[in-house]
């Protein structure tokens, strides 16, 4: 199966539309807390902006099973793009924190529609036997906006003002609608309520996704406010974003060969190590900050790809809509949880100690999960199918 089939046609259109749409999201993640802080918000209030965005996103994702019954995926993707992009300039209307949160919640609903429908389309458009590679291409489209957005948003707000960032983010997001028209319009997502057994099968990937997402959400929200000068913070976010893209893309073909669910443990440990280095570098030490950012981004990117494919494979009997919805709830819930928890912990522990404590929690959880998986592989149940067998049969069932 050639790479051209993975890269071409509707999947390429999905990647293009997703990239342009999510520039809006990525640019504003670090910029909105800066916007709020300039208007007198404290660390906890600044953290609630990201948390509010993710809470609205998760709320939209809980609606997806109902929405997918009545609307095709392409229509949902375009609707989400409009909700995400169109309200962005309205931040300029008022300095009030309540107004800021209202606009953020509307955008969060749109973001939820975009990421769930995109995940379902990526899985359904994947050629047979190339799920990880197709997801890696889609992952590139979802992760690469952070390269432009995270560092670019901070830099542009310092040099051109917040208004320029808001209007540019709107233009790129809305331009995605035209490209989305190239995606087949008749595809619908399928969602069935997951059983307890299927939820247990994906519990480790989802937990690791939530934990690594919390680390990335915490850093992107608070690093520009935590001590490094704007240039150092922008450079760290740029390196984290580049590493995230490379980490997510690189594991796709590799996971196609070795099977999903095997990379996630080392990826989570990389996130913990990176977070620890970042926490230790807040007092100074630019090289340590940059190395930590690379480890954080690469680990989170690899964890994203591996946990998504593992979730799709292990819930193949429930439909790609079910898997994408559940995975995206974990992803966005983790991003919001990290910003909220770290914002609360900073008041009690200080920024550095709060970051180091989060690193310890993630590292410990990853080590325990890896040890438990190693023990299960060493002592398989008699007559039980191996994880690889389950993935193979599940993948065949998904494509029938």
């Amino acid at each position: 199966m050639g790479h051209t089939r993975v890269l071409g046609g509707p999947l390429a259109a999905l990647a293009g539309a997703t990239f342009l749409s999510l520039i809006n999201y990525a640019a504003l993640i670090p910029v909105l807390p800066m916007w709020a802080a300039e208007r007198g918000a404290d660390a906890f209030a600044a953290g609630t902006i990201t948390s509010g965005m993710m809470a609205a996103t998760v709320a939209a994702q809980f609606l997806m099973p109902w929405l997918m019954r009545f609307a095709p995926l392409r229509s949902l993707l375009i609707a989400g793009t409009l909700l995400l992009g169109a309200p962005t300039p309205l931040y300029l209307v008022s300095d009030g924190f309540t107004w800021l949160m209202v606009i953020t919640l509307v955008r969060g609903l749109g973001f939820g529609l975009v990421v769930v429908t995109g995940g379902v389309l990526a899985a359904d458009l994947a050629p047979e036997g190339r799920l990880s590679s197709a997801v890696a291409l889609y992952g590139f489209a979802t992760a690469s906006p952070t390269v432009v957005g995270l560092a670019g948003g901070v830099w542009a707000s310092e040099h051109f003002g917040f208004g320029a960032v808001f209007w540019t983010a709107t233009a790129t997001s809305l331009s995605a609608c035209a490209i989305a028209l190239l995606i087949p319009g008749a595809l619908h997502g399928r969602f069935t309520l997951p059983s307890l057994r299927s939820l247990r099968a994906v519990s480790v990937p989802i937990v690791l996704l939530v934990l690594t997402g919390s680390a990335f959400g915490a850093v992107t929200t608070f690093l520009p406010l935590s001590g490094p000068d704007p240039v150092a913070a922008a450079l760290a976010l740029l390196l984290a974003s580049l590493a995230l893209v490379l980490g997510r893309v690189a594991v796709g073909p590799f996971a196609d060969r070795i099977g999903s669910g095997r990379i996630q443990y080392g990826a989570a440990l990389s996130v913990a190590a990176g977070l620890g280095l970042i926490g230790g570098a807040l007092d100074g030490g630019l090289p340590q900050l940059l190395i930590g950012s690379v480890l954080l981004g690469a680990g989170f990117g690899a964890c994203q790809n591996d946990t998504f494919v593992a979730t799709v494979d292990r819930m193949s009997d429930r439909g790609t809509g079910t898997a994408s919805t559940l995975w995206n709830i974990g992803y966005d819930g983790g991003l919001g949880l990290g910003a909220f928890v770290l914002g609360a912990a900073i008041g009690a522990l200080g920024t550095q100690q709060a970051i180091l404590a989060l690193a310890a929690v993630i590292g410990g959880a990853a080590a325990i999960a890896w040890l438990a998986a190693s023990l299960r592989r060493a002592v398989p149940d008699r007559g039980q199918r191996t994880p690889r067998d389950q993935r193979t049969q599940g993948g065949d069932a998904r494509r029938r």
Side-chain angles (χ1 to χ4, degrees):
M1 199 77 63
H3 287 285
T4 54
R5 188 176 171 188
V6 175
L7 297 174
L11 196 59
L14 172 65
T18 300
F19 172 81
L20 290 171
S21 178
L22 296 188
I23 288 287
N24 180 293
Y25 161 78
L28 268 60
I29 282 291
V31 166
L32 286 180
M34 295 169 62
W35 171 259
E38 280 201 2
R39 283 144 186 81
D42 59 16
F44 179 77
T48 61
I49 297 170
T50 301
S51 300
M53 176 87 174
M54 294 302 102
T57 298
V58 171
Q61 290 162 353
F62 277 112
L63 295 175
M64 288 304 296
W66 179 80
L67 292 173
M68 284 189 291
R69 293 181 183 177
F70 298 102
L73 293 170
R74 186 180 71 181
S75 298
L76 293 174
L77 180 65
I78 292 174
T81 299
L82 290 171
L83 285 173
L84 178 64
T88 304
L90 296 178
Y91 285 122
L92 300 168
V93 171
S94 171
D95 291 343
F97 186 77
T98 300
W99 177 256
L100 187 153
M101 283 300 298
V102 169
I103 302 303
T104 300
L105 292 175
V106 173
R107 292 179 55 249
L109 293 173
F111 181 63
L113 296 181
V114 170
V115 294
V116 173
T117 53
V120 179
L121 284 166
D124 286 348
L125 294 171
E128 183 176 355
R130 302 298 302 277
L131 177 60
S132 289
S133 296
V135 170
L137 172 64
Y138 173 70
F140 175 81
T142 61
S144 55
T146 63
V147 177
V148 180
L150 288 182
V154 173
W155 180 84
S157 65
E158 294 284 341
H159 289 79
F160 302 108
F162 290 101
V165 175
F166 294 153
W167 281 108
T168 301
T170 296
T172 57
S173 184
L174 295 181
S175 65
C177 295
I179 296 179
L181 293 175
L182 300 175
I183 299 170
L187 295 175
H188 282 257
R190 183 171 68 88
F191 183 97
T192 55
L193 193 67
S195 65
L196 289 177
R197 182 175 182 178
S198 62
L199 288 175
R200 284 196 300 269
V202 299
S203 59
V204 170
I206 296 299
V207 168
L208 291 179
L209 175 68
V210 168
L211 289 174
T212 55
S214 71
F216 200 80
V219 168
T220 54
T221 298
F222 287 105
L223 185 61
L225 308 174
S226 298
D229 63 75
V231 174
L235 182 58
L237 291 176
L238 174 62
L239 288 178
S241 305
L242 287 169
L244 189 156
V245 173
L246 292 175
R248 184 154 189 181
V249 171
V251 302
F254 185 58
D256 276 333
R257 291 194 298 270
I258 69 170
S260 62
R262 295 176 179 268
I263 300 170
Q264 58 189 345
Y265 310 108
L269 289 173
S270 175
V271 168
L275 194 60
L277 289 174
I278 291 171
L282 294 183
D283 293 335
L286 182 61
Q288 181 177 338
L289 175 67
L290 300 183
I291 293 171
S293 298
V294 170
L295 290 174
L296 171 71
F300 186 42
C303 196
Q304 284 180 48
N305 200 82
D306 199 43
T307 55
F308 182 82
V309 177
T311 302
V312 170
D313 280 346
R314 297 175 190 184
M315 301 192 76
S316 57
D317 61 328
R318 299 286 163 174
T320 52
T322 310
S324 180
T325 300
L326 183 62
W327 185 89
N328 277 286
I329 288 172
Y331 176 89
D332 297 313
L335 290 176
L337 182 66
F340 180 82
V341 170
L342 196 68
I346 284 173
L349 302 175
T351 303
Q352 186 174 64
Q353 294 303 317
I355 290 177
L356 293 175
L358 181 59
V361 170
I362 296 171
I368 292 171
W370 174 79
L371 180 60
S374 299
L375 291 174
R376 284 196 300 271
R377 286 195 294 267
V379 189
D381 293 337
R382 188 181 301 274
Q384 180 178 321
R385 288 182 299 166
T386 66
R388 179 178 292 275
D389 292 335
Q390 293 172 345
R391 282 192 299 272
T392 301
Q393 293 185 19
D396 292 340
R398 180 178 63 81
R399 287 183 284 270
R400 278 198 292 268

